[in-house]
Amino acid sequence: MKVHVDMNLCQSHGECVFPAPDVFELGDDDVLVWKEEVDESRREAVQAAADACPMMAIRIEG
Ligand code: SF4
């Protein structure tokens, strides 16, 4: 599956990092970085991250 983050919405506070730290992290400059191609086995964690995002910035495709 593919993971998209709308960086026009994202405020890089990192709520998504807790449910899926292997997918989302805050970089050195505190800007969110993430894996765009994620194994199916991590769907539940990525969905939890999307649900946790207060800006609804995370979209899962596929
Ligand atoms: S939870 Fe949403 S707004 Fe916060 S860093 Fe993650 S994608 Fe950005």
Side-chain angles (χ1 to χ4, degrees):
M1 69 186 152
K2 288 196 160 48
V3 178
H4 300 281
V5 179
D6 185 338
M7 290 307 286
N8 292 319
L9 296 175
C10 175
Q11 298 186 342
S12 291
H13 292 313
E15 287 87 341
C16 53
V17 175
F18 298 102
D22 54 327
V23 177
F24 303 95
E25 66 175 329
L26 293 177
D28 292 339
D29 47 4
D30 276 348
V31 173
L32 184 73
V33 290
W34 72 98
K35 278 190 202 158
E36 296 192 7
E37 186 69 53
V38 179
D39 190 81
E40 187 60 34
S41 63
R42 298 299 288 145
R43 178 175 293 270
E44 208 171 303
V46 174
Q47 184 62 57
D51 292 344
C53 176
M55 302 306 293
M56 294 192 292
I58 300 172
R59 188 167 57 83
I60 302 167
E61 185 184 304

